[in-house]
Amino acid sequence: MSLFEIYDLTVEYSDGTESLQGVTMNIEANEVTCLIGPAGGGKSTFLRVLNRLNDLADVKKVSGKVMFKDMNLLDPKIDVIDLRRRIGMVFARPLPLPLSLYENVAYGLRTAGERSKAKLDRAVEQALRQAQLWDEVYDRLDAPASRLSGGQQQRLCLARTLSLEPEVVLLDEPTSALDPISTAKIESSILELKERYTFIVAPHSIQQAGRIADHVAFFLQGELVEYQPASEIFTRPRDKRTEDYLQGRFG
Amino acid sequence: MNHNDFNKLYPRRTGLLTPRNMEKAGYAGLTVLTILTVLPIIAVVIYILVQGAPAISPSFIFDMPRDGMRAGGIWPAIVGTIYLTVGTAIFSVPLGIGAAIYLAEYAPDNRVTQMIRIAIINLSGIPSVVYGLFGLGLFVLFLKFGSSILAASLTLSIMTLPVIISTTEEALRAVPHAFRVVSISLGATRWETIRRIVLPQALPGIVTGVILGLERAAGETAPILFTGAAFFLPRLPQSPLDPTMALPYHLFVISTQVPGMPVQIQYGTVLVLLVFVLGMNLIATWIRSRARARRQW
Ligand SMILES: Nc1ncnc2c1ncn2[C@@H]1O[C@H](COP(=O)(O)OP(=O)(O)OP(=O)(O)O)[C@@H](O)[C@H]1O
Ligand SMILES: [Mg+2]
């Protein structure tokens, strides 16, 4: 059984945009699945379905079936709080909360009710190490997070998501605003951690997908055009449109 | 393009009207305008200080009025204004902040909430005497609170609420939406997000709104005129259902209703009211600057 089994997923925004149309795919655990495609293809919408952040957006209609283990994520009655602790998200822009470094990383655990200072300390250190930020910040955990550089802030955001030890980490163009060094650190974190987590990433370039992906899904205007193991899709794309996109002929 | 070509294409302007000189002139002009607006305020404060300061003494502050208020102190008016301000705060601050949180964070964006918002904005434009009459009808007569601190505080609260609601709502809306999304993506509820992220960020703006509202309440005469203000009382109010003296009304009384009133006492009273209101302002500034120093973005 796959971790996610998605069947005929359709999402319509209240302005009438059908940003996903009949998407059917399975996503495997402990892999890096990349969603590629030109702007407006529906990659962000897809990611937000998986942790129900679309509840905050102007969505009119969601239909189909999205099974995460034995839970249907489209069921309005599921515990979304618990879901978001199990499926975390990192956004395109580094978005530290207006708190200290430490409190940023501890935020999720604190809201989950963790009081023990020792446990929080340990979780914060582990998450910061996993995001490859610990060595740069261990001596100023009480400083405001806004003082970090953009690349450090984004790694802080990754650590903040990892601190809850989620099962799945969604990353929506996590390196689109970053320098090459921070980008490389985030990519290597992903590769090192995929033993423990499942990553679903909208990479900011095809090259990035090439460096990290096990599976690649190509979205075009809400349609899932092709979904293949990375080695397949990059060498032998089946669909003409995928080939055109990979060769930079549009988007 | 090398630098010489650039200068040929865009020759430097010379003479009096160079951009640099215009910038200087504009700056000077704005400085003068600023000083002009602040000057009258400073003049008023200095005038009141000079006229009122000789009246100030411990007995002026802490004694009861004597000789038909022509001598003695203004203690009951000071105490009354404190009671009324605190009373107003008790009702209007939780209610106003609560309503603003609802409007900014929970209310759906539809016709009804738009109407509520328009109503609130219009309420803050209503003359205060109208609130006074409303309070007389509702609290003093209908609810039978009589002319009392309770009725006056409730009346002042209704007048203050729109200010608190709209400034608080604005302060909440100024907090970037992205913080809310991030917090919720980490498994926080809406309320946890508001309490842990949004409210602390909005605090300086909220405090400003609250103090602005309460200041207006502390200085108003018309709303308490029919609802709780007393011309003269021989003793301090004993319960919220007693009427009370209050600084602004006392000022009105000793300025217009009592013949042979020493000018000193009038200005002394003005000075006390001014210090009271400025003191609130100072507290607000202090809280704001502390919050800003702790702000982390
Ligand atoms: N909140 C929203 N309200 C209305 N329409 C939206 C909203 N968010 C996205 N859309 C629309 O849905 C479609 C898919 O958008 P989405 O952001 O999912 O694409 P994307 O693949 O992530 O694009 P990009 O590469 O630019 O990030 C677009 O047509 C977009 O305009
Ligand atoms: Mg996107």
Side-chain angles (χ1 to χ4, degrees):
Chain A
M1 207 178 89
S2 305
L3 187 62
F4 288 96
E5 296 186 350
I6 296 153
Y7 177 73
D8 199 20
L9 170 64
T10 297
V11 177
E12 193 182 328
Y13 286 104
S14 44
D15 60 3
T17 328
E18 265 215 345
S19 67
L20 289 174
Q21 297 152 21
V23 171
T24 298
M25 67 192 285
N26 290 347
I27 296 175
E28 305 302 329
N30 301 103
E31 281 200 353
V32 179
T33 301
C34 281
L35 318 173
I36 61 168
K43 306 176 295 284
S44 302
T45 306
F46 182 84
L47 290 174
R48 288 197 301 262
V49 167
L50 301 183
N51 70 347
R52 285 282 290 273
L53 267 193
N54 271 338
D55 291 7
L56 308 183
D58 235 357
V59 174
K60 185 162 76 186
K61 208 178 107 226
V62 187
S63 64
K65 204 166 167 190
V66 179
M67 297 304 292
F68 170 58
K69 297 187 168 169
D70 49 9
M71 177 160 63
N72 183 358
L73 299 187
L74 302 190
D75 182 349
K77 290 194 293 287
I78 61 167
D79 180 355
V80 291
I81 303 295
D82 180 59
L83 174 71
R84 288 173 189 145
R85 293 188 180 128
R86 295 167 66 186
I87 305 186
M89 186 154 192
V90 176
F91 302 87
R93 235 162 16 95
L95 289 169
L97 291 169
L99 305 166
S100 68
L101 297 182
Y102 184 95
E103 288 304 327
N104 259 278
V105 183
Y107 188 82
L109 284 171
R110 275 203 204 278
T111 43
E114 183 57 69
R115 294 266 165 68
S116 149
K117 174 87 173 114
K119 276 194 190 157
L120 287 172
D121 284 353
R122 229 176 305 128
V124 167
E125 174 169 354
Q126 179 187 320
L128 285 170
R129 283 191 190 280
Q130 289 180 341
Q132 305 193 16
L133 186 59
W134 176 257
D135 292 342
E136 291 161 58
V137 300
Y138 66 91
D139 56 350
R140 46 175 169 147
L141 294 178
D142 291 325
S146 55
R147 297 242 187 93
L148 296 178
S149 76
Q152 291 172 326
Q153 285 183 11
Q154 190 66 320
R155 280 178 281 148
L156 182 76
C157 294
L158 178 60
R160 188 174 60 192
T161 301
L162 294 177
S163 70
L164 285 162
E165 303 200 20
E167 293 161 56
V168 182
V169 181
L170 314 171
L171 299 112
D172 193 353
E173 306 189 35
T175 59
S176 58
L178 302 196
D179 61 282
I181 293 176
S182 291
T183 301
K185 286 194 169 164
I186 288 197
E187 288 177 6
S188 87
S189 289
I190 293 174
L191 290 175
E192 269 169 38
L193 294 168
K194 75 176 182 183
E195 314 280 308
R196 308 178 50 171
Y197 303 99
T198 301
F199 289 96
I200 306 176
V201 188
H204 88 264
S205 66
I206 297 170
Q207 290 73 18
Q208 185 167 52
R211 290 192 293 268
I212 60 175
D214 296 305
H215 270 85
V216 176
F218 174 52
F219 283 82
L220 183 62
Q221 291 176 2
E223 187 192 340
L224 174 60
V225 173
E226 183 161 351
Y227 180 43
Q228 297 247 51
S231 49
E232 284 289 314
I233 203 167
F234 288 126
T235 50
R236 283 184 297 276
R238 291 202 193 126
D239 196 292
K240 180 77 173 67
R241 290 169 292 174
T242 315
E243 191 180 340
D244 286 348
Y245 179 70
L246 290 176
Q247 292 177 357
R249 276 205 272 271
F250 62 88
Chain B
M1 183 159 52
N2 73 36
H3 197 64
N4 276 334
D5 294 341
F6 185 88
N7 283 343
K8 251 180 251 159
L9 266 175
Y10 307 102
R12 289 268 177 81
R13 263 172 291 174
T14 49
L16 214 52
L17 288 180
T18 62
R20 211 179 132 74
N21 280 345
M22 304 224 314
E23 167 92 9
K24 272 189 193 160
Y27 183 73
L30 288 176
T31 310
V32 170
L33 284 178
T34 310
I35 292 173
L36 279 181
T37 50
V38 177
L39 219 53
I41 302 171
I42 294 176
V44 168
V45 171
I46 290 179
Y47 183 73
I48 290 173
L49 257 175
V50 170
Q51 297 279 323
I56 304 294
S57 67
S59 64
F60 181 73
I61 305 283
F62 294 111
D63 282 3
M64 305 295 283
R66 275 178 282 110
D67 300 341
M69 295 184 271
R70 286 181 199 87
I74 55 168
W75 182 234
I78 295 176
V79 170
T81 289
I82 292 174
Y83 282 168
L84 288 174
T85 310
V86 171
T88 307
I90 288 173
F91 295 116
S92 64
V93 172
L95 207 60
I97 294 181
I101 290 178
Y102 175 75
L103 282 175
E105 306 287 333
Y106 291 100
D109 194 16
N110 58 23
R111 289 278 292 274
V112 179
T113 39
Q114 273 167 25
M115 301 252 292
I116 292 177
R117 217 166 265 132
I118 292 172
I120 289 170
I121 291 169
N122 281 312
L123 274 178
S124 45
I126 290 179
S128 52
V129 67
V130 177
Y131 285 103
L133 285 169
F134 175 78
L136 173 68
L138 180 61
F139 301 122
V140 177
L141 301 176
F142 183 73
L143 294 173
K144 300 202 171 57
F145 293 157
S147 178
S148 62
I149 295 178
L150 180 64
S153 299
L154 285 166
T155 308
L156 288 171
S157 297
I158 291 185
M159 183 190 79
T160 312
L161 267 174
V163 183
I164 296 185
I165 294 176
S166 42
T167 45
T168 302
E169 194 188 347
E170 215 166 288
L172 293 172
R173 283 184 191 282
V175 178
H177 181 69
F179 289 161
R180 297 176 176 81
V181 178
V182 166
S183 169
I184 282 173
S185 82
L186 290 164
T189 60
R190 264 182 183 215
W191 171 240
E192 283 164 343
T193 304
I194 292 168
R195 192 170 55 83
R196 297 176 52 136
I197 304 292
V198 180
L199 277 179
Q201 290 300 307
L203 190 69
I206 294 174
V207 169
T208 309
V210 165
I211 299 272
L212 271 178
L214 291 182
E215 257 173 24
R216 183 166 170 222
E220 278 283 356
T221 309
I224 58 173
L225 196 55
F226 324 114
T227 56
F231 186 87
F232 173 74
L233 289 171
R235 55 177 198 157
L236 296 178
Q238 305 297 304
S239 96
L241 291 173
D242 286 350
T244 181
M245 293 176 72
L247 280 171
Y249 182 57
H250 183 66
L251 193 62
F252 166 76
V253 167
I254 59 178
S255 310
T256 60
Q257 311 291 307
V258 185
M261 195 70 206
V263 179
Q264 259 200 6
I265 291 192
Q266 293 170 4
Y267 279 103
T269 309
V270 175
L271 184 57
V272 171
L273 182 58
L274 199 71
V275 167
F276 189 83
V277 170
L278 288 182
M280 285 169 70
N281 253 329
L282 234 81
I283 294 172
T285 314
W286 179 70
I287 294 178
R288 249 196 328 253
S289 66
R290 247 184 48 142
R292 203 167 287 150
R294 285 177 41 212
R295 168 178 285 191
Q296 311 200 308
W297 50 282

